[in-house]
């Protein structure tokens, strides 16, 4: 089984050092995201996708991990391109592929195992949590509420997302170049006609996108219970 860690973004919303290299309680965010997969007994290879400049000169702490079971790959202009580059870097024997966001440093073993199980059953599996907030759709002015969206059947997709490799590669080939509608790998698979199932996850596996998220991550890392 292979894992792609997508870390090719610039993290511009936070500013400064790319967020995947920011430290959380002294440990780089990317390293926290990689470790649960690198330590998993069923993972044969991990491909870390970085911005081209960083892929050419990886941080020392990541370079020490590179070798037979971990490789560093240059990403592209869009997430889908970066994920496809990571999949292409996996050995041919990796018939099941998991894709995970480097900006989710608190992924748990239980959800990893559950996603693997779905992929091995021949379908996609997506870590997700039910939507708990009331959802409002705005009008074209961006501020006036147009309607309240029923949330009973809505889930918030997270990662890891796992698939049979052939299914994921087919979906990636069918994707339109530069397509920004599909914001995750499951969307590509769905549009290609693949079956994807939800895997209940924890809200702790949240995606870090802002300074407030970084502060929360620091709190959780220093007070894990």
């Amino acid at each position: 089984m292979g894992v792609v860690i997508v870390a090719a973004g610039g993290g511009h919303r936070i500013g400064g050092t790319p967020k995947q290299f920011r430290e959380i309680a002294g440990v780089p965010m990317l390293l926290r995201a990689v470790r649960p997969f690198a330590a998993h007994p069923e993972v044969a290879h991990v491909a870390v996708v970085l911005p081209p400049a960083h892929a050419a000169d990886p941080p020392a702490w990541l370079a020490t991990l590179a070798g037979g079971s971990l490789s560093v790959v240059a990403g592209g202009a869009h997430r889908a391109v970066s994920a496809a580059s990571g999949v292409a870097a996996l050995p041919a024997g990796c018939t099941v592929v998991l894709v995970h966001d480097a900006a989710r440093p608190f992924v748990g073993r239980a959800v990893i195992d559950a996603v693997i199980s779905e992929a091995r059953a021949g379908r996609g599996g997506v870590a997700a949590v039910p939507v708990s907030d009331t959802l409002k759709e705005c009008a074209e002015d961006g501020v006036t509420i147009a309607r309240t969206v029923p949330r009973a059947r809505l889930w918030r997709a997270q990662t890891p997302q796992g698939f049979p490799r052939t299914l994921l590669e087919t979906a990636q080939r069918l994707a339109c170049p530069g397509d920004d509608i599909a914001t995750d790998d499951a969307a590509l698979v769905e549009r290609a006609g693949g079956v994807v199932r939800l895997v209940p996850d924890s809200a702790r596996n949240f995606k870090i996108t802002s300074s407030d998220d970084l502060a929360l991550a620091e709190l959780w890392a220093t007070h894990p219970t």
Side-chain angles (χ1 to χ4, degrees), residues 199-215:
V199 176
D201 193 10
S202 166
R204 185 178 287 265
N205 184 24
F206 71 106
K207 186 175 183 180
I208 296 176
T209 60
S210 68
S211 297
D212 286 344
D213 295 333
L214 273 175

Side-chain angles (χ1 to χ4, degrees), residues 76-101:
H78 300 277
R79 188 189 188 284
V81 175
S82 296
S85 296
V87 174
L90 297 174
C94 296
T95 58
V96 167
V97 175
L98 269 59
V99 183
H100 185 64
D101 295 326

Side-chain angles (χ1 to χ4, degrees), residues 113-128:
D113 290 343
V115 169
I116 291 172
S117 180
E118 292 292 342
R120 285 192 168 149
R123 55 185 174 251
V126 174

Side-chain angles (χ1 to χ4, degrees), residues 13-90:
R13 277 176 284 186
I14 293 180
T17 302
K19 67 180 178 182
Q20 59 269 44
F21 303 131
R22 294 286 190 96
E23 290 190 354
I24 300 173
V27 180
M29 186 188 308
L30 174 57
L31 185 56
R32 285 183 177 273
V34 169
R35 280 176 172 171
F37 298 97
H40 197 289
E42 297 184 55
V43 172
H45 195 91
V46 176
V48 178
V49 188
L50 297 179
H54 293 285
D57 185 22
W61 48 264
L62 185 58
T64 59
L65 296 177
S69 61
L70 188 144
S71 57
V72 177
V73 184
H78 300 277
R79 188 189 188 284
V81 175
S82 296
S85 296
V87 174
L90 297 174

